[in-house]
Amino acid sequence: MKEPISITAIGSISPLGKTSEETWASYLQNNHFFEQKAFGEATEWAASLSKDSKQEIEELRNSDNKYKSLDDSVLFALYASRDAIAKAGWKAGDDFGINIGSSRGATALFEKYHKEFLENNRTATLSSPTTTLGNISSWVAHDLKSKGPEISHSITCSTALHAVLNGVAWLRSGMADKFLVGGSEAPLTPFTIAQMKALKIYSQYKTENASEGNAGYPSRALDFEKEKSTMILGEGASVICLEKGVNEKTLAIIEGVGYATEPLRHNISISTDAECFQSSMKMALGEINPDEIDTIVMHAPGTIKGDISEYKAIEKVFCNKLPFLTTNKWKVGHTFGASGALSIELAVLMLQHQQVIKVPFVADSSAPRKLKRVLVNAVGFGGNAVSILLSHNV
């Protein structure tokens, strides 16, 4: 890239916590954040916000009468965005762009209003405005009183990283100096869980199968020997402040971006060696030698095909010297449109602390002594891949 773009702050709320300190402390533990919850008549694994975080969201909901009708996906984004701009030193009313997306959007509200319609043949006045896709960025723009452009989009599981691409493009074009990007998702609803189960990719892990003295891991993301897919859904939001150049607040530098889309073979298809990932990673690397990449935060959703195809793509690009590989989905599950931004948060925290986060049930590969460059991957249904190359601001 001709001009570096800085990440100057990250705000998030997820099962890992609601502050950077809480999140890093959670990463340092080998436990997962899944629990079994009731979804209609079924009980399934899911990763929810903590009681403290949920209380923060409820306080936000009740802080303004207009916010009481908003979906959790919007409130998560509001919370994370306020935190991010405060850390970056941006002020409400500043001239900055916003692009915060979601895969599913206002899922809980949509299901609620549709159920009411089936029962009463009518729906509530606010059913349309509170379930449109543009809700997240629009309400964040309203809350922060921003004067720049606000954009919403859904590109399934690569939504947040596509927001990063958009932010980088706006900054490099000279049409903006600051951009707030990320993703938010609140997918823990009966219908969403049912959709994942219908695809036969949701974890069916049974607690009684855990070995003596081992709590077990319901999601086996990055386990290339698993015999069944083990994807689990999580909720949360992560929002990133992007600025031109490098300054005293720079946490990491976006050194390269890449993207690619595969020709569709099936609605959720990806090739056996993830051609889209091969292309996106090569584009993000540019002229940088693959040997200079220390770590890759993989998309690795916990499905058999999703994990292994990405791994094969990495083998193709990096040949005999694979970087250290990690993911956070064994711990917090797949947060759909927010997942890429949460992966960037993990990458930035590792660069800051100069420490990799290992997947506890995966045989240790040699961890790099020093972290200089981390590549972050995400891909959505249909093979919409994005790769973001981050480097440490030394």
Side-chain angles (χ1 to χ4, degrees):
M1 290 174 60
K2 296 177 182 178
E3 182 177 18
I5 303 296
S6 287
I7 292 175
T8 55
I10 301 177
S12 71
I13 187 164
S14 77
L16 296 161
K18 57 186 185 297
T19 68
S20 296
E21 293 74 22
E22 287 180 12
T23 298
W24 182 244
S26 294
Y27 273 126
L28 294 177
Q29 302 169 18
N30 280 337
N31 62 296
H32 63 76
F33 288 86
F34 302 120
E35 58 183 356
Q36 291 194 302
K37 298 185 63 174
F39 294 95
E41 298 180 358
T43 301
E44 305 293 345
W45 291 101
S48 305
L49 300 186
S50 69
K51 289 182 180 179
D52 286 346
S53 293
K54 287 180 179 178
Q55 181 60 38
E56 293 279 352
I57 295 301
E58 285 309 303
E59 289 177 7
L60 174 57
R61 189 192 309 277
N62 294 320
S63 67
D64 188 316
N65 196 50
K66 294 187 292 294
Y67 293 173
K68 291 181 180 180
S69 59
L70 299 181
D71 187 75
D72 278 352
S73 59
V74 179
L75 295 171
F76 294 169
L78 288 178
Y79 186 92
S81 297
R82 288 180 178 184
D83 185 37
I85 71 160
K87 290 176 180 174
W90 301 1
K91 295 187 174 100
D94 280 358
D95 187 4
F96 58 86
I98 297 172
N99 187 178
I100 304 172
S102 180
S103 175
R104 304 283 159 159
T107 310
L109 281 186
F110 196 91
E111 290 181 29
K112 171 179 176 287
Y113 289 136
H114 187 252
K115 181 181 178 182
E116 290 176 358
F117 175 74
L118 293 178
E119 292 173 349
N120 307 315
N121 203 34
R122 64 172 64 92
T123 190
T125 303
L126 294 177
S127 61
S128 176
T130 57
T131 59
T132 55
L133 180 60
N135 252 313
I136 297 179
S137 289
S138 295
W139 278 107
V140 169
H142 162 80
D143 187 67
L144 302 182
K145 300 177 177 60
S146 64
K147 296 177 181 176
E150 58 94 359
I151 307 164
S152 298
H153 70 256
S154 174
I155 311 177
T156 61
C157 308
S158 55
T159 293
L161 292 198
H162 274 283
V164 175
L165 290 180
N166 284 345
V168 168
W170 276 80
L171 294 176
R172 291 191 65 195
S173 74
M175 295 175 67
D177 294 320
K178 297 183 289 188
F179 233 90
L180 190 68
V181 300
S184 184
E185 208 74 53
L188 304 184
T189 66
F191 185 52
T192 309
I193 297 289
Q195 291 175 68
M196 298 304 106
K197 288 176 66 179
L199 292 171
K200 298 183 173 21
I201 57 176
Y202 213 76
S203 177
Q204 296 300 306
Y205 175 84
K206 304 296 182 185
T207 306
E208 57 268 24
N209 293 342
S211 59
E212 187 73 24
N214 179 6
Y217 295 94
S219 174
R220 304 289 296 187
L222 223 64
D223 177 359
F224 303 122
E225 304 299 323
K226 59 180 172 287
E227 297 179 355
K228 293 181 180 179
S229 289
T230 62
M231 194 181 86
I232 300 176
L233 295 188
E235 62 182 358
S238 182
V239 177
I240 301 160
C241 291
L242 301 181
E243 299 184 40
K244 272 185 181 179
V246 179
N247 60 51
E248 69 280 358
K249 289 187 179 292
T250 298
L251 303 176
I253 297 167
I254 296 180
E255 200 169 1
V257 299
Y259 49 89
T261 302
E262 288 190 6
L264 274 177
R265 297 175 179 85
H266 183 272
N267 290 29
I268 58 170
S269 69
I270 191 169
S271 55
T272 55
D273 54 0
E275 296 166 13
C276 56
F277 267 137
Q278 291 183 52
S279 298
S280 68
M281 287 189 289
K282 288 176 182 177
M283 184 187 295
L285 290 174
E287 297 181 1
I288 295 172
N289 191 316
D291 290 352
E292 296 182 43
I293 307 306
D294 303 303
T295 301
I296 300 177
V297 181
M298 293 176 61
H299 183 70
T303 63
I304 292 175
K305 190 169 183 180
D307 289 10
I308 195 65
S309 62
E310 184 179 359
Y311 180 72
K312 287 181 178 179
I314 291 169
E315 284 186 315
K316 287 280 184 74
V317 174
F318 292 88
C319 300
N320 297 324
K321 188 180 178 183
L322 297 188
F324 181 84
L325 305 178
T326 190
T327 184
N328 54 17
K329 292 186 180 68
W330 65 272
K331 184 181 274 284
V332 296
H334 197 347
T335 53
F336 285 153
S339 63
L342 287 171
S343 292
I344 282 185
E345 180 183 46
L346 170 57
V348 170
L349 286 170
M350 290 193 299
L351 286 168
Q352 284 184 290
H353 293 275
Q354 287 295 294
Q355 180 178 347
V356 296
I357 296 301
K358 300 179 179 181
V359 180
F361 50 80
V362 174
D364 284 350
S365 58
S366 59
R369 294 180 181 177
K370 186 177 180 181
L371 288 174
K372 172 62 178 173
R373 290 188 172 97
V374 179
L375 190 66
V376 179
N377 281 341
V379 68
F381 284 159
N384 299 294
V386 180
S387 299
I388 306 293
L389 177 59
L390 303 177
S391 62
H392 188 39
N393 181 35
V394 181

